[in-house]
Amino acid sequence: MSPTPLPPPGQKLEHYVAEAPFDAMSTERLTEAQERIYLASQWKLMWWKFKRHKLALISAIFLIFLHASILICEVIAPYNLETRNSHAVYFPPQGIHMFHEGEINFPFVYGTERELNMELLQWNYTNDTSKRLPVRFFCSGDEYRFWGFFDATFHFMCPPEGGTLYLLGTDQLGRDMFSRIVYGARISLTIGIIGISISFVLGITIGGIAGYYGGFADLVIQRMIEVVSSLPNIPLWLALAAILPVNWSPLLVYFGITVILGLLDWTGLARAVRSKLLSLREEDYVLAAQLMGADSGRIIGRHLVPGFASHLIATATVAVPTMVLAETALSYLGVGLRRPITSWGVLLNDAQNFNVIALYPWLILPVVPVIFVVLAFNFMGDGLRDAADPYK
Amino acid sequence: MVWYIIQRFLIMIPTLLIISAVVYFVIELPPGDYLESYIAELQTQGETVDPQYIEFLRHEYGFDKSVVERYFHWLFGIFQGDFGFSFEYQLPVSDVVGDRLYLTILLNFVTIIFTWIIAFPIGIYSAMHQYSWGDYGLTFIGLLGLATPNYLLALIMLYFANVWFGTSIGHLMDPEFVNESMSWAKAQSIMEHLLIPVIVLGTSGTAILIRRLRANLLDELQKQYVVTAKAKGLKNFRALVKYPLRMSLNFFISDIGSILPALIGGGEIVAIVLSLETTGPLLIDSLQSQDMYLAGSLLMFLASLTVVGVLVSDILLAFLDPRIRLSGGSTK
């Protein structure tokens, strides 16, 4: 507003009337960027914060892809789980080539020749570079029953006509390691998911009771947590796994092992739930809910748990790799899963002594996905933990 | 202080009792008992089984009593130093286990010390050079150690030790010392063989400790007193060692409690792969053959080792930080 010239003395001052409509909020108005933050829900804020942790984001994407892959492992694996080739026992990993004598080719593998080494009684495989066999993509190969509904033969990648495609070699029965690792993910990863679901439910229930009721219940549960967490996990898992009846079917053993892993791992979660509840139950909104007549189940479930669900998810994420590793260890020692159920640990069971590493080092390759999964869960857990409290 | 220690000891007793009940329950769970599998084994070999002899064994080993009675029998036996009888070896459990207990304790103790020695400087370095390449690199290596299954690392080291040095690193001592009594030469041999298992076991614990120490130090370094110290002209290093480091030491010691169960468990598996003379190989054998008193006593021993480890860390902590013993509670 420009200063108007003063009227001559003795006359009335003119009124200034602003023409713009009155806006009471004009000084407090937020910029658009600020408004976005203020109006965002808690979960949105967490997502923004999580996105900033690049390593965690990459890990999350990797894990999502991996877990999605277990739905279609029949299609991803070039061979079936139990497809044997008695002409390719302990076959070393085969490379896919693009270049042959300086020319670009469609991806191909070389043909192979084998001869028996009579001294070591071992097959030697050599590349026959004169034969170039193009790898087939989106093709039909081994027949499988998809999800138990219908038979199919479609694979993303198949061995060339008249040739083999053993990307990671074969085992002592001539089964493709790569396909077996792909199928193994199905078992190893579901153990993590089911196990953590069990311990999640146990942790929330037990920790919830301790934190909400306090007093005697809290005392007993505290003691219980202390006892369970001071038991050395692996020996106890060993003991519980070793006592699964011998006449159980492999599938039943799989569920048994999963439950055992879940049963001992809830203490960390229960402790987190308890301490959070102890601080949250003093809040006014809990009192309000109580006065309105909500029962304790509803207060815990509807009002308290959502308040720290993000922390729980972060805690649970960090606990998943423990289970994957534990399953691997048990199966490696031969007390975990039983064949024909195939997990990464069962595959590693073939690499029991160091002759294997000397002669067939590719048999320890199933450890690579184990390491990646454990690392990815750890990074993702880090990111989630940072993001769990977005208001900080 | 004395009062605190006594109190801490008293808390330990019910914990151990509950653990013993849990352990006994677990080893009693499988259907059948050792005698039944023993009889089945005799029968498959075509031998006749004298029912009177079986009845005698059943009575002798107390299988005709109820579970609760047997539990208390076992429990009171432990108080008198009698851990029961191993069916598999036909010897008292304490004779079967022998030196293995001490070697297990030695292995775990040395591993913890090793973990500290490695984790301490790395944690400090990482905290002082946050987000530097060194920090990232060391953190990553630590995590890699955490993610690699110990037993495979052991297997791979076993292989490379053989290829590069032509030595076998399995076992905890040279074969000629196995049934010898302790001597200087034997101790030396044990020390040499201890190196590889300790490194293998140390890899996973170190990663956890590094991350905790780093996070803790970073929290402390932002506090006002550090800023003040620096403003007064204290050198970076001195400003770190003088106060923040002492604060995070607390954490370092209380962490024994949390890494010990994992460490002992991992140790058992590595021991199986490297055929160390610790309790690991015995434990898995006894579990598979339902040699229940041996398995139970070993499990009980491992659990007590953790409980005592936590106790030691609590007492150390009380020495280090007077606030803890004044408030009187346990650290958990």
Side-chain angles (χ1 to χ4, degrees):
Chain A
M1 136 188 164
S2 58
T4 42
L6 284 174
Q11 274 193 313
K12 270 185 172 177
L13 273 169
E14 231 177 286
H15 271 296
Y16 167 71
V17 181
E19 275 158 35
F22 176 68
D23 182 1
M25 306 289 284
S26 61
T27 53
E28 290 161 22
R29 164 132 319 131
L30 303 170
T31 63
E32 222 162 89
Q34 277 174 318
E35 194 166 357
R36 217 161 74 96
I37 292 174
Y38 273 90
L39 293 181
S41 68
Q42 185 188 354
W43 294 98
K44 203 169 223 167
L45 283 175
M46 276 165 52
W47 165 238
W48 287 338
K49 198 160 178 190
F50 181 73
K51 246 187 351 189
R52 283 217 307 261
H53 197 317
K54 282 287 174 288
L55 207 51
L57 190 66
I58 294 170
S59 301
I61 294 170
F62 168 72
L63 286 174
I64 289 172
F65 267 102
L66 208 62
H67 281 82
S69 86
I70 65 177
L71 292 175
I72 51 163
C73 52
E74 287 95 345
V75 182
I76 296 172
Y79 289 92
N80 278 358
L81 181 61
E82 301 290 346
T83 307
R84 294 176 187 185
N85 182 352
S86 53
H87 294 289
V89 171
Y90 286 132
F91 196 95
Q94 224 176 346
I96 294 186
H97 304 262
M98 293 279 286
F99 298 96
H100 182 70
E101 288 163 6
E103 293 168 56
I104 293 190
N105 274 285
F106 192 73
F108 67 94
V109 292
Y110 287 119
T112 45
E113 306 256 309
R114 65 169 188 162
E115 55 176 332
L116 189 61
N117 180 338
M118 283 309 284
E119 257 172 60
L120 297 171
L121 277 183
Q122 180 190 341
W123 288 102
N124 286 344
Y125 299 92
T126 43
N127 275 344
D128 173 7
T129 45
S130 63
K131 268 200 274 183
R132 276 173 287 151
L133 307 164
V135 177
R136 295 179 296 149
F137 292 97
F138 302 106
C139 45
S140 85
D142 287 351
E143 190 175 289
Y144 52 86
R145 195 155 179 81
F146 194 65
W147 293 6
F149 290 140
F150 55 90
D151 294 320
T153 58
F154 177 75
H155 294 262
F156 284 152
M157 207 172 168
C158 307
E161 304 279 355
T164 55
L165 181 67
Y166 297 128
L167 294 177
L168 302 178
T170 65
D171 63 3
Q172 79 270 32
L173 293 175
R175 293 175 294 194
D176 178 33
M177 283 303 284
F178 176 69
S179 305
R180 287 175 73 72
I181 291 176
V182 170
Y183 276 92
R186 185 173 270 181
I187 302 298
S188 287
L189 294 179
T190 44
I191 280 200
I193 298 172
I194 302 177
I196 204 67
S197 316
I198 294 173
S199 74
F200 205 76
V201 172
L202 279 176
I204 290 187
T205 320
I206 298 177
I209 293 172
Y212 188 77
Y213 291 107
F216 183 68
D218 186 27
L219 207 69
V220 171
I221 288 172
Q222 280 260 74
R223 241 343 51 140
M224 210 160 83
I225 291 178
E226 200 172 305
V227 168
V228 174
S229 59
S230 73
L231 290 168
N233 282 347
I234 294 178
L236 204 64
W237 275 326
L238 273 179
L240 287 169
I243 64 173
L244 291 182
V246 189
N247 51 6
W248 275 18
S249 73
L251 194 66
L252 215 53
V253 170
Y254 162 69
F255 284 115
I257 297 274
T258 317
V259 171
I260 287 170
L261 293 184
L263 278 184
L264 287 182
D265 208 63
W266 51 269
T267 50
L269 268 168
R271 226 179 248 164
V273 174
R274 177 183 164 274
S275 64
K276 280 279 162 196
L277 275 184
L278 280 183
S279 59
L280 281 183
R281 69 170 183 177
E282 307 297 331
E283 298 278 331
D284 286 343
Y285 68 84
V286 177
L287 187 64
Q290 276 169 340
L291 291 178
M292 285 182 189
D295 58 31
S296 32
R298 187 182 163 84
I299 292 178
I300 295 178
R302 292 285 304 167
H303 299 292
L304 292 177
V305 173
F308 58 90
S310 50
H311 286 272
L312 291 188
I313 293 171
T315 316
T317 313
V318 188
V320 176
T322 335
M323 301 209 176
V324 176
L325 278 177
E327 180 276 321
T328 319
L330 292 183
S331 302
Y332 180 76
L333 295 176
V335 290
L337 302 178
R338 296 175 195 161
R339 295 182 171 85
I341 291 233
T342 307
S343 72
W344 291 332
V346 172
L347 290 176
L348 283 174
N349 185 254
D350 287 338
Q352 279 279 359
N353 55 42
F354 80 55
N355 289 336
V356 169
I357 300 185
L359 296 173
Y360 320 113
W362 57 89
L363 285 189
I364 61 165
L365 282 177
V367 77
V368 175
V370 174
I371 294 176
F372 272 100
V373 165
V374 174
L375 281 182
F377 268 114
N378 270 309
F379 288 137
M380 193 170 96
D382 270 357
L384 285 175
R385 205 167 17 205
D386 290 348
D389 197 356
Y391 300 109
K392 246 204 306 213
Chain B
M1 188 68 211
V2 178
W3 178 234
Y4 174 79
I5 294 179
I6 294 173
Q7 210 181 352
R8 201 54 200 72
F9 260 103
L10 289 180
I11 294 178
M12 196 175 81
I13 293 169
T15 311
L16 280 176
L17 282 179
I18 300 172
I19 290 178
S20 75
V22 171
V23 164
Y24 198 83
F25 175 69
V26 166
I27 56 171
E28 274 282 347
L29 264 183
D33 51 43
Y34 183 78
L35 273 185
E36 276 175 26
S37 44
Y38 179 64
I39 296 167
E41 196 185 324
L42 281 183
Q43 275 168 343
T44 51
Q45 285 169 355
E47 289 182 35
T48 49
V49 188
D50 181 5
Q52 267 185 329
Y53 176 60
I54 291 302
E55 211 42 55
F56 166 73
L57 284 180
R58 199 166 282 282
H59 182 72
E60 188 67 19
Y61 294 143
F63 283 121
D64 49 356
K65 295 194 188 110
S66 73
V67 179
V68 181
E69 259 178 286
R70 269 182 286 161
Y71 165 65
F72 281 108
H73 186 76
W74 179 66
L75 190 64
F76 288 123
I78 289 182
F79 287 137
Q80 296 157 6
D82 169 18
F83 291 90
F85 192 80
S86 161
F87 306 125
E88 186 81 3
Y89 293 86
Q90 296 289 319
L91 280 172
V93 167
S94 45
D95 288 358
V96 177
V97 176
D99 279 349
R100 286 171 184 260
L101 292 192
Y102 307 115
L103 289 174
T104 308
I105 296 175
L106 179 74
L107 176 66
N108 285 309
F109 182 73
V110 176
T111 309
I112 288 185
I113 302 294
F114 171 83
T115 317
W116 271 343
I117 294 176
I118 299 291
F120 205 63
I122 294 183
I124 294 175
Y125 177 87
S126 281
M128 286 185 75
H129 302 83
Q130 198 190 3
Y131 300 137
S132 70
W133 281 106
D135 176 27
Y136 280 129
L138 289 169
T139 311
F140 186 74
I141 292 175
L143 273 174
L144 209 59
L146 184 74
T148 316
N150 280 339
Y151 46 93
L152 276 183
L153 197 62
L155 196 67
I156 292 168
M157 285 188 114
L158 202 63
Y159 170 68
F160 281 115
N162 200 3
V163 172
W164 287 340
F165 307 112
T167 53
S168 158
I169 55 167
H171 301 281
L172 264 186
M173 58 193 88
D174 288 326
E176 65 259 31
F177 295 114
V178 170
N179 285 319
E180 294 278 300
S181 57
M182 186 53 84
S183 65
W184 177 239
K186 181 173 176 174
Q188 219 171 358
S189 170
I190 291 178
M191 278 302 152
E192 280 168 20
H193 281 80
L194 213 50
L195 183 67
I196 298 295
V198 163
I199 292 177
V200 169
L201 276 175
T203 48
S204 48
T206 314
I208 303 172
L209 279 187
I210 290 176
R211 290 170 81 196
R212 299 272 210 114
L213 182 64
R214 177 176 175 274
N216 231 37
L217 266 183
L218 283 177
D219 280 353
E220 288 295 325
L221 283 176
Q222 285 170 0
K223 295 212 170 139
Q224 297 248 318
Y225 68 88
V226 182
V227 179
T228 314
K230 281 188 184 166
K232 286 188 164 185
L234 230 56
K235 290 266 171 358
N236 256 346
F237 185 71
R238 215 176 142 65
L240 176 85
V241 173
K242 207 67 186 159
Y243 301 104
L245 199 61
R246 288 188 191 180
M247 293 297 298
S248 42
L249 260 186
N250 265 358
F251 211 70
F252 224 57
I253 288 176
S254 70
D255 253 357
I256 307 179
S258 59
I259 62 170
L260 209 55
L263 186 69
I264 290 175
E268 297 298 286
I269 292 185
V270 170
I272 294 167
V273 174
L274 292 178
S275 36
L276 304 181
E277 282 78 11
T278 62
T279 51
L282 264 191
L283 176 70
I284 190 161
D285 280 351
S286 59
L287 283 171
Q288 279 171 335
S289 63
Q290 283 198 22
D291 193 350
M292 47 179 287
Y293 288 117
L294 184 55
S297 302
L298 288 177
L299 278 178
M300 191 63 210
F301 162 71
L302 292 174
S304 327
L305 209 57
T306 23
V307 174
V308 172
V310 175
L311 173 80
V312 170
S313 85
D314 276 1
I315 291 177
L316 276 180
L317 213 52
F319 270 111
L320 203 72
D321 189 346
R323 286 172 305 179
I324 289 167
R325 58 176 185 266
L326 286 179
S327 65
S330 79
T331 53
K332 278 194 179 162

